[in-house]
Each structure stands twice: as C-alpha cells, then as structure tokens.
Amino acid sequence: MALQLLEDWLNQAELAIQQWLPIEVAHYVWAALWTALGAAALYRTYRPLDKPRLYSVSGPKLPEREEILEQPSTSGTSAIQCYNPTTGQFLGLINPSTPAAVDRAIEQAATTQKKWPATSFRERRSILQHVLDNQEMICKVACLNSGKNMVDAQMGEILVTAEKLQWTIKHGERALAPSRRPTNLLLSHKRNIVIYEPLGVVAALVSWNYPFHNLLTPIISAIFASNGILTKASEQTAWSAHYFASIARGALVAHGHDPGLIQTIVCWPLTAAYITSHPAISHITFIGSQAVAQKVAASAAKALIPVCAELGGKDPFILLQSALPNVKSIVEVLLRASLQSSGQNCIGAERVIAAPAVYDQLIPLLTDRVKDLRLGPDGDMGAKPGSAKQ
C-alpha cells in the first residue's frame, strides 16, 4: 500500500515537472533521478560522523603543599577560598569576576556567536561527541570540589551528561527543524510554521551539587541551538568550574572554532545581579533555591529577560501496603534515593510516606543501615559545602 502511494506520488511529480520542461524526459531517466535522490537522502541521514579529533585538557592544579583549613569559608568580597568539603583540604584561591569582566565575557561570546549559526548541525554533533574523553579525571575533580564520592560522581555527573549528549546528537536537529501548526477556517489561506532562531547570548547560573553536569548541560543546548553562552558557576565549586568549561571549549578548538562562544565566570552574589539584568543576555537558566530564584526573576524582569528555573522538589517516597513483601530490597533503593550526593539531589526523596504495617518494618531496617553508613571520600556517602567546619 505504501509503495503504491509512493509510486503514484512520483508519477504525479513527474507530470507536474514535465510541464515546465522544454523536452520530453524518458521514464527511465526519472527512475534514475528518484533513485539518486533517495540514495543521497539515506546517506545524509545515516552517514557516520566525522572521525573524532582527540584533544586534551589539563586538570586543575592542587597547591604544592597540602593544607587542611580549620575554618573554611566561601563568603566574602575578596578571593574565593576553595576547599574539599569532606576533608577541609585547601584547593586554591579564585579571583571573582567583576562587572567589567562580565561585560568583556558577554561581548566576546556575542562576537563569536554571530558566526556560529553558519555552522552545520553535523559540525555541532561532531563537537559534542568529544566532550567526555576523561571520565575518571572529571569524577575526581568533582569529588574534590563538591565532597561527593566516586560512585555518586559517576552516576550524577557522567551518566546523565552522557545521556544529554546522546539525545542531543541523535535528536537535536529534528527538534529544531521548522514544523507546521494547524490553522482555522478564517486563516485557511495561510500556513503556520514554527521556525527556531538563535537567541544570541544566553546565561546559565548553576548550583554546586553537580558541578560538571549542571555546567555542561546548558552549554550543550546553547551551542547546539546556535547560541553563545555565559555560565556562572557556584562559588562553592569555583575551583573546578574553569576545568569543566575548558572541556567544552577544547572541543571547539579541536574542530577549528572559536572557544569564545563559551564563557564561564565565578563571582559573588552582588555581581550575579549584574548578570541577571544585563541587556545583552537573551535568556537565563537558573538552578538553585526558591529564595534565590525570586531574586533572579526580579532582577531579570528589569530587562525583560525570560527565565527558566529549576528549583528542585519535595519528592515523596510512597510505600503502600502492597510493598510489604519487598521492604528489605526497598530499603536499599530508599537509601540511594535519599542520600545520593549527600542528599543534595534535586530529584532525591525528601520524605517517606509509608502504610502503617510497612512503617513498622521499615524503621528498624533503616536504622541499622544508616548506622552502618561510612562517611568520607571512600565511604558510602560524601559531604557537602560547610561539612568540613562542622
């Protein structure tokens, strides 16, 4: 049936085109033409991506002498003090960006972005597939700066970022393709088409709990949609931010593109307000708390900048009576759901609602398991900023 419809459509196309040609074209010529066009379409759809271009990015440097801070802090107005929340190990000092530095970063991203839409989706796919070359190093850096352990880093930093990359590479072009929309009787003489155009320079203000994933995912979406981006990392994870951004910037350099498309800064909250109302920013992605989101939205409203905010959730873990036979195995799932990344997980379980009979079995099982948890970089659960001084 489908083949017959295709054959009928091709015959009609031949007749329609033939009317505009000065000579009669033989049927076998049409058959060869359709075959060549079909082969070209298949090749364009299924051809392999370009051979990967390998590149390397140097990891962040640790101080020559190991120092454990007695009273670590990431508040103030001078250099940002970076430390390992689990051990209190001093990692380094980062100079916070000033409003003038923000202006320069946005200007550079804007200049580079003007040329970026001329690149093909194929080029952008090739760039994205090289972002995850050094998984172990990424995990180690994330652990040092955020306090999580290697298991949490692998699951919360690498796997989810790889999935974001995979989806964008496979489906990003189709998601951004022009698409038709239905019309009505009064507008039946018109056609409705949605066309996606670059916004220019967008901004992402991201939280500390997933320093690699939260920083990279806005970059992936921004550059694939032809935008430049300014990312502001949390001051809690300032030490790792430049390294993680350099992974994406390195992919641009390896493929002959200007890394200025991606700008990353770290600053104190007062300077962040300068970003969120900056007239050259076209869109803001914010990941953080509700209290800070209200300030971001109020600041963005001054310049009428749209904001997309991800503020975590209050996800309940609900156990009904039917869960009674599986309580022992459910305990393991519950521990992972609630304590992954020290509980600093936007989709983590924050409360448990259990049927009475399930509750009576659940409490002693959970109590024993929680007592056995090992804390620390090599344990079952890491730490979070502030833990080292408690």
Side-chain angles (χ1 to χ4, degrees), residues 74-276:
T74 51
S75 61
T77 56
S78 57
I80 299 171
Q81 186 183 71
C82 305
Y83 66 96
N84 182 342
T86 305
T87 64
Q89 177 187 359
F90 176 67
L91 300 176
L93 294 172
I94 302 294
N95 290 322
S97 296
T98 63
V102 171
D103 285 336
R104 289 193 296 270
I106 293 175
E107 183 180 0
Q108 187 172 0
T111 301
T112 309
Q113 188 273 334
K114 292 176 182 178
K115 299 175 290 183
W116 184 243
T119 60
S120 66
F121 282 113
R122 180 177 176 79
E123 289 177 277
R124 298 173 208 171
R125 281 194 295 267
S126 297
I127 290 169
L128 293 183
Q129 67 179 345
H130 303 305
V131 168
L132 295 180
D133 283 336
N134 300 290
Q135 297 185 25
E136 185 176 359
M137 173 63 80
I138 291 169
C139 287
K140 286 181 177 179
V141 172
C143 291
L144 277 174
N145 207 185
S146 67
K148 63 184 65 180
N149 58 29
M150 288 292 283
V151 174
D152 284 342
Q154 184 67 40
M155 295 182 65
E157 306 285 0
I158 302 299
L159 294 181
V160 288
T161 307
E163 181 61 29
K164 170 79 172 186
L165 286 165
Q166 184 181 48
W167 189 94
T168 305
I169 289 168
K170 287 185 176 180
H171 308 293
E173 182 175 359
R174 185 167 68 249
L176 293 173
S179 57
R180 296 286 300 274
R181 292 293 186 271
T183 186
N184 55 45
L185 183 61
L186 291 177
L187 297 176
S188 58
H189 61 292
K190 294 182 177 290
R191 292 195 306 170
N192 297 332
I193 301 176
V194 174
I195 298 175
Y196 297 96
E197 296 182 345
L199 293 173
V201 178
V202 299
L205 288 72
V206 299
S207 57
W208 63 267
N209 55 336
Y210 291 97
F212 178 69
H213 174 68
N214 286 351
L215 194 75
L216 260 288
T217 49
I219 290 175
I220 294 167
S221 298
I223 66 174
F224 199 82
S226 299
N227 297 303
I229 183 167
L230 172 74
T231 56
K232 189 204 89 66
S234 168
E235 55 270 27
Q236 305 281 7
T237 50
W239 181 71
S240 59
H242 178 73
Y243 165 63
F244 290 149
S246 294
I247 294 174
R249 289 166 61 91
L252 288 169
V253 173
H255 290 78
H257 299 292
D258 191 339
L261 190 69
I262 301 170
Q263 299 289 324
T264 297
I265 66 164
V266 181
C267 63
W268 295 115
L270 288 175
T271 305
Y274 183 75
I275 300 172
T276 52

